């Protein structure tokens, strides 16, 4: 049985590199010059990815479940 994975996307047109995502989950996000990036596009289920999506001031992070449905941010 394979592990359930989520897909993490950061919209480079919205990202302002605030640093909030790597501060919450440094294993999942990194700052890369003027933008943040996901360390890996697919990750195991990790609530910190949802937390990062919720606190992103630019709302640049999208988290999708295995079926492709958006699960974060909720707002």
């Amino acid at each position: 049985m394979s592990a359930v994975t989520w897909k993490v996307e950061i919209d480079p047109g919205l990202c302002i590199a605030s640093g909030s995502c790597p501060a919450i989950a440094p294993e999942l996000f990194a700052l890369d010059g003027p933008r943040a990036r996901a360390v890996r596009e697919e990750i195991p289920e990790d609530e910190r990815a949802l937390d990062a999506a919720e606190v992103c001031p630019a709302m640049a992070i999208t988290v999708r479940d295995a079926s492709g449905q958006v699960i974060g941010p909720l707002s």
Side-chain angles (χ1 to χ4, degrees):
M1 181 178 197
S2 64
V4 175
T5 60
W6 289 348
K7 184 175 181 181
V8 178
E9 303 165 343
I10 299 179
D11 183 330
L14 294 176
C15 181
I16 59 171
S18 72
S20 60
C21 55
I24 289 173
E27 298 84 9
L28 303 177
F29 301 97
L31 288 181
D32 193 9
R35 304 287 178 259
R37 65 175 174 81
V39 173
R40 289 177 307 281
E41 185 176 306
E42 291 189 2
I43 62 168
E45 287 185 31
D46 191 325
E47 292 294 320
R48 294 173 305 155
L50 297 176
D51 293 342
E54 289 295 329
V55 303
C56 176
M59 301 300 288
I61 302 170
T62 303
V63 182
R64 298 177 188 275
D65 66 14
S67 72
Q69 183 169 340
V70 174
I71 57 173
L74 297 176
S75 39

